[in-house]
Amino acid sequence: MDALWMAPLLLVPVLMWTSSTFVFYFKKCFYVAWMMMLALIAIPLCILKSGGRDVENMRIIRNLVRHVKYFLGLRFEVSGWEHLQTKGPYVIISNHQSSLDVLGLMEILPDRCTMIAKKELIYAGTVGLICWLGGIVFINRKKTSDAKSVMADAAKTMLDDQIRLWVFPEGTRNQRGDLLPFKKGAFHLAVQAQAPIIPIVFSSYSNFYLREQKQFNSGTITLKILPKIETKGMTSDDVASLSDKSFNVMRSAFLDISNSITHSNGPLRH
Ligand SMILES: CCCCCC/C=C\CCCCCCCCCC(=O)SCCNC(=O)CCNC(=O)[C@H](O)C(C)(C)COP(=O)(O)OP(=O)(O)OC[C@H]1O[C@@H](n2cnc3c(N)ncnc32)[C@H](O)[C@@H]1OP(=O)(O)O
Ligand SMILES: CCCCCCCC/C=C\CCCCCCCC(=O)OC[C@@H](O)COP(=O)(O)O
């Protein structure tokens, strides 16, 4: 009787072997469930360590998330580590393709660095709570004036508490094979804090993850950390050119690393 109950479980490896659509859904569900579970473990650890919301909790979160890539068959190749060896506050900007970006982010996350995220993320159960405990700054994208004032406060906190902030300047997830035009918030933030910008580019996920075709294979993601862009002496008048400059260096790096990876990994499995 017990053995009979186990029988459907045997289907899992069979389906994993034969159906790439099953692999796609299995990996996605596993990812969400595992992250929720890790967050559940992290919550008491963070509370015990710092008693509540604190950027130092990101160390615990970073350590707990770093093994998840192995389950999903993902590898990261990182270049430009030396550009993160900058003292004091800075603003990291990177392209944003999927919630899987969290894995690459945790791979290279510097100390005392937290993120700017949409406020809806706080309702994501245990993940939402861990984001709050990790000091993530939540913004309301539907109310520009609110978002601006939260980010102005964040610029002050960055300096007062020596914090680094990671912003996704595209403002939303994008897997269209190119970068979306940048929103301006990250650049106002850097200018207000007079802190440098460190651009980071994730190569395209299209060689292993295709949402429409329901494909989630193993793959390698290249992370390229680019040289910092100074903002000392800049004012809000310089924001547009700073944004354009950042966009251009990131776009050319994105196209460069995405092309080389698609060619070296060979064709997708069907
Ligand atoms: C232990 C296990 C746990 C496991 C689970 C958890 C694991 C880890 C936890 C970590 C996970 C974290 C991952 C977080 C990912 C979340 C990512 C996101 O949520 S992305 C979406 C949210 N982010 C953003 O939107 C940031 C980028 N957006 C912006 O910067 C925007 O500019 C804005 C939102 C501030 C405003 O957007 P919008 O209303 O569309 O306006 P714009 O066109 O950009 O600007 C309008 C004008 O306002 C000016 N402006 C903008 N910002 C400012 C400012 N701060 N100060 C002054 N002025 C500003 C801008 O220049 C425009 O004016 P103009 O005259 O046209 O120039
Ligand atoms: C009880 C509630 C259940 C909710 C379950 C959701 C839990 C998500 C679980 C695991 C994923 C862990 C990584 C979380 C961080 C993902 C952040 C993210 O990628 O947010 C999307 C946002 O950048 C842009 O949003 P839009 O593309 O504009 O939309």
Side-chain angles (χ1 to χ4, degrees):
M1 199 58 195
D2 284 353
L4 211 59
W5 178 85
M6 299 279 286
L9 281 183
L10 290 174
L11 267 180
V12 173
V14 175
L15 284 168
M16 292 281 272
W17 185 250
T18 54
S19 163
S20 60
T21 308
F22 181 81
V23 171
F24 175 85
Y25 286 112
F26 186 86
K27 279 181 154 182
K28 279 192 82 150
C29 293
F30 171 82
Y31 178 57
V32 172
W34 196 246
M35 292 297 255
M36 302 281 278
M37 214 277 295
L38 288 174
L40 191 63
I41 296 170
I43 290 164
L45 296 178
C46 290
I47 293 171
L48 282 173
K49 181 169 189 250
S50 14
R53 181 168 158 87
D54 191 329
V55 67
E56 285 299 318
N57 288 332
M58 275 297 166
R59 287 175 194 269
I60 296 174
I61 299 168
R62 184 175 68 185
N63 289 336
L64 279 169
V65 169
R66 277 197 179 164
H67 70 282
V68 177
K69 60 178 185 256
Y70 299 114
F71 289 114
L72 300 175
L74 299 178
R75 266 174 15 98
F76 290 95
E77 269 171 15
V78 183
S79 67
W81 279 112
E82 67 278 13
H83 302 308
L84 279 181
Q85 307 309 313
T86 299
K87 290 209 167 69
Y90 46 78
V91 175
I92 293 180
I93 53 173
S94 77
N95 55 322
H96 192 18
Q97 297 179 70
S98 145
S99 62
L100 290 174
D101 295 347
V102 171
L103 302 182
L105 179 152
M106 291 301 168
E107 197 72 14
I108 57 172
L109 190 75
D111 291 339
R112 298 197 66 73
C113 184
T114 187
M115 296 104 222
I116 302 260
K118 60 177 184 179
K119 72 169 179 35
E120 292 81 355
L121 199 58
I122 207 165
Y123 305 113
T126 53
V127 166
L129 183 51
I130 207 65
C131 287
W132 183 83
L133 286 167
I136 287 184
V137 176
F138 296 101
I139 54 166
N140 183 352
R141 293 183 295 184
K142 293 182 198 98
K143 272 187 125 180
T144 309
S145 57
D146 278 12
K148 281 189 201 174
S149 83
V150 169
M151 287 180 81
D153 287 349
K156 196 174 170 305
T157 313
M158 274 178 82
L159 297 175
D160 292 348
D161 300 348
Q162 293 291 296
I163 283 171
R164 286 114 183 210
L165 278 173
W166 187 307
V167 188
F168 293 94
E170 292 170 286
T172 188
R173 283 165 293 179
N174 157 45
Q175 251 181 289
R176 271 154 268 180
D178 203 346
L179 304 188
L180 293 178
F182 285 176
K183 304 265 180 190
K184 297 284 189 319
F187 308 98
H188 281 287
L189 178 69
V191 166
Q192 282 163 13
Q194 294 284 288
I197 290 177
I198 301 185
I200 297 181
V201 184
F202 291 69
S203 60
S204 168
Y205 293 175
S206 62
N207 63 320
F208 69 91
Y209 181 78
L210 292 166
R211 209 177 284 148
E212 263 133 54
Q213 285 98 321
K214 310 275 173 274
Q215 294 257 334
F216 191 163
N217 302 323
S218 298
T220 301
I221 298 155
T222 303
L223 282 181
K224 189 165 183 182
I225 306 164
L226 298 167
K228 69 179 171 199
I229 302 172
E230 289 292 355
T231 65
K232 277 231 154 44
M234 287 190 182
T235 66
S236 60
D237 292 341
D238 301 305
V239 161
S241 63
L242 181 63
S243 167
D244 289 347
K245 181 178 178 186
S246 309
F247 180 84
N248 290 335
V249 292
M250 284 174 69
R251 180 166 189 263
S252 84
F254 173 76
L255 296 175
D256 183 33
I257 59 179
S258 300
N259 275 331
S260 60
I261 224 168
T262 311
H263 292 141
S264 67
N265 272 24
L268 293 166
R269 202 176 93 193
H270 289 289

